Amino acid sequence: MELEQYRDDRMPWRRHSGRMPFRMRLPVHRATTANLQAIYPFVIETGLGSEGVYIGRETGSQASFVYDPWRLYQQQLLTNTNVLLAGVIGRGKSALAKTLAYRLSAFGVRTYVPGDPKGEWGLLAGTLGVEPLALGRGLATRLNPLETGSRPQGTPESVWLDDVRGRRISLLQALAETGLGHRLTPVERNAIYLALDRVVRSDADASRQRTPLLPEVVEAMMRPSQDDANSLGLRSGAELAALSRDACLELRRLIVGDLAGLFDGATTHQLDIHAPIQVVDTSRLAGDDTALALLMSCASAWMEASISDATAGRRLVVYDEAWRVLRVPALVRRMQSRWKLSRALGESNLAVVHRISDLGAVGDAGSEAVAIARGLLADCSTRIMYAQESDQLESAASALGLTDVETSLLPGLPRGRGLWKVGRRSFIVDHVLADHELEITDTDARMR
């Protein structure tokens, strides 16, 4: 900008005339208006408007910060409604997830938590008048992850049955691949198709088809028929059983192994899809991360079967401790398929992780598994970053496209303050809790 060109000689020089006492002699600098606004100290973000739930205060303007992913999607500020929430332990990400669910319930948004490994969502569920569904060894509760679910309004029966079959196959393949640690062979995949179809009686009309149970599918895989073998060009059922034995035994783990008694029978408690929140409490179970990931996948599959109706209103699906699932490639693939359907189903999926590098922990650098996990991040138009350790800054900046200033802020963010990346816009927001919300979001009670 050349200041000299704005010099006006029409008015006489006199005291208090507002003119410069002498001509400035500065080097010429040219820049765009967007860049030059940075030298003006009073430029602040205009915010996301006033439609949505109250989150807290935007630190630059101290103005109220509200958020509604569905509204922002309608305004084309977001390309999808999914949210990734990351932060180190003890910085308030759980409190944010719970208050978001709590405040959205006032607007008719129903929340589903398919896995609560720490039992922290019970107080919120109780506040909303809902009893969490507890899963654990010795309890009478059983969930059938192969449930048919409710047919969405307007969906032809044949289309619905194909969707149900695809959902069941996807889950069974993911469970088997998780245990095996590699992709299924073509014979193993076909063995699952054949066993499932035989149990369901897929050749019958819809009214005579059965809802399968995991033990029945495993039994059908262990004893395939001669017709099944012939359909795959094999000589006998025994040969088919031998070639698919490893996959079969991994599925059998859910029946006789460390997760026995949870998913091996008919569902004992039906999901109330009209309740403001539904929580599956898995805190009574202890085990390795793989077992917990299997557990969360089965619970989420059971819940997803009941909430697949796109006409059922807006829903928030919270994947707490999602980093456990992100370590299993087969489950990440299944999770990503759910992410892709969020707009069609009217859902917003919220994944809670500790750090962005969790997305790269599913496999070797450059592998398909890592690419799928990072694709999950790409399918989240809203990314909320709480404090990160200094060794995580490079990966977070690279994955989220953070500026140098935003990256430098991350290690020092205090409890409750987060960097919100909403589409292409950034905000630093202080989460504000009401007094009555402190109790239902308190996760440090046992430390006092």
Side-chain angles (χ1 to χ4, degrees):
M1 179 175 62
E2 295 181 77
L3 295 178
E4 188 174 355
Q5 64 180 304
Y6 295 102
R7 182 169 179 266
D8 189 347
D9 293 329
R10 290 176 298 179
M11 297 298 291
W13 292 97
R14 64 175 182 272
R15 192 178 183 187
H16 305 307
S17 64
R19 302 303 184 91
M20 291 182 295
F22 54 87
R23 179 177 298 178
M24 296 181 67
R25 297 184 182 281
L26 298 175
V28 175
H29 176 76
R30 295 180 185 274
T32 65
T33 306
N35 288 332
L36 282 176
Q37 67 179 349
I39 66 175
Y40 186 68
F42 306 109
V43 174
I44 58 173
E45 250 285 2
T46 56
L48 297 175
S50 58
E51 297 182 74
V53 297
Y54 178 71
I55 300 296
R57 288 188 297 272
E58 204 273 315
T59 57
S61 62
Q62 290 298 304
S64 297
F65 181 83
V66 300
Y67 178 74
D68 182 335
W70 295 276
R71 189 66 182 171
L72 294 173
Y73 177 76
Q74 292 172 0
Q75 296 173 348
Q76 298 184 348
L77 295 177
L78 300 177
T79 57
N80 60 68
T81 54
N82 300 320
V83 183
L84 182 77
L85 171 57
V88 298
I89 297 173
R91 283 295 184 270
K93 60 182 184 298
S94 293
L96 175 62
K98 292 183 182 70
T99 52
L100 186 62
Y102 181 59
R103 296 171 186 177
L104 282 171
S105 68
F107 293 85
V109 177
R110 299 182 180 89
T111 296
Y112 300 90
V113 185
D116 180 15
K118 295 187 291 187
E120 294 178 350
W121 286 80
L123 283 174
L124 173 58
T127 302
L128 295 173
V130 177
E131 184 71 21
L133 184 62
L135 274 180
R137 299 183 182 93
L139 299 180
T141 309
R142 296 283 190 283
L143 300 182
N144 181 9
L146 303 177
E147 281 280 4
T148 303
S150 302
R151 179 156 61 101
Q153 295 179 11
T155 302
E157 191 171 72
S158 59
V159 175
W160 171 237
L161 291 177
D162 287 343
D163 289 344
V164 171
R165 181 175 183 269
R167 173 158 42 82
R168 288 168 176 163
I169 289 174
S170 172
L171 176 65
L172 291 170
Q173 286 187 160
L175 295 175
E177 289 179 356
T178 300
L180 292 171
H182 58 74
R183 303 293 292 265
L184 296 181
T185 66
V187 174
E188 289 171 332
R189 282 199 297 273
N190 279 273
I192 289 177
Y193 307 156
L194 293 169
L196 180 63
D197 289 343
R198 186 144 59 96
V199 173
V200 173
R201 301 170 190 158
S202 60
D203 55 342
D205 59 64
S207 61
R208 295 171 53 210
Q209 292 190 9
R210 297 182 61 248
T211 298
L213 300 175
L214 271 176
E216 296 172 335
V217 175
V218 171
E219 179 66 20
M221 288 185 69
M222 294 181 73
R223 295 177 175 78
S225 66
Q226 184 62 45
D227 290 341
D228 290 343
N230 292 339
S231 67
L232 299 182
L234 300 175
R235 288 169 295 186
S236 65
E239 184 180 5
L240 174 57
L243 292 174
S244 60
R245 179 171 291 114
D246 289 346
C248 178
L249 293 179
E250 287 301 331
L251 291 176
R252 193 169 179 267
R253 174 185 180 181
L254 295 165
I255 303 169
V256 300
D258 49 345
L259 298 179
L262 304 178
F263 306 106
D264 52 4
T267 299
T268 56
H269 293 72
Q270 296 302 319
L271 185 72
D272 181 4
I273 61 173
H274 301 296
I277 188 171
Q278 287 288 341
V279 177
V280 178
D281 184 349
T282 58
S283 61
R284 292 173 175 79
L285 294 164
D288 57 35
D289 286 346
T290 302
L292 285 174
L294 291 171
L295 170 70
M296 292 173 67
S297 296
C298 288
S300 62
W302 168 77
M303 189 169 279
E304 289 162 8
S306 300
I307 62 175
S308 296
D309 189 348
T311 63
R314 294 173 176 174
R315 290 152 291 180
L316 175 68
V317 183
V318 180
Y319 294 87
D320 204 354
E321 300 290 308
W323 57 272
R324 295 181 186 276
V325 178
L326 293 176
R327 294 181 176 181
V328 184
L331 301 183
V332 174
R333 281 193 289 273
R334 188 177 173 282
M335 199 171 174
Q336 189 189 37
S337 67
R338 191 72 187 180
W339 252 238
K340 298 288 187 187
L341 293 173
S342 61
R343 290 179 297 172
L345 297 175
E347 286 181 4
S348 173
N349 296 291
L350 169 61
V352 183
V353 301
H354 292 311
R355 56 188 75 87
I356 296 297
S357 61
D358 287 339
L359 299 171
V362 296
D364 297 331
S367 64
E368 178 197 3
V370 171
I372 293 173
R374 294 200 181 282
L376 203 64
L377 176 63
D379 289 330
C380 293
S381 284
T382 302
R383 297 95 174 262
I384 307 168
M385 296 294 296
Y386 275 33
Q388 292 287 293
E389 299 292 353
S390 56
D391 61 349
Q392 298 297 318
L393 298 182
E394 184 177 350
S395 59
S398 174
L400 301 177
L402 303 181
T403 65
D404 292 343
V405 174
E406 291 170 343
T407 305
S408 66
L409 290 174
L410 289 182
L413 290 175
R415 182 184 179 90
R417 178 175 294 178
L419 167 63
W420 287 63
K421 301 284 288 185
V422 183
R424 296 178 178 274
R425 301 167 69 177
S426 301
F427 307 87
I428 302 293
V429 179
D430 283 330
H431 182 207
V432 176
L433 289 164
D435 290 341
H436 70 282
E437 292 175 328
L438 291 173
E439 182 179 352
I440 61 176
T441 59
D442 185 11
T443 57
D444 292 335
R446 294 173 185 171
M447 299 296 291
R448 294 192 288 270

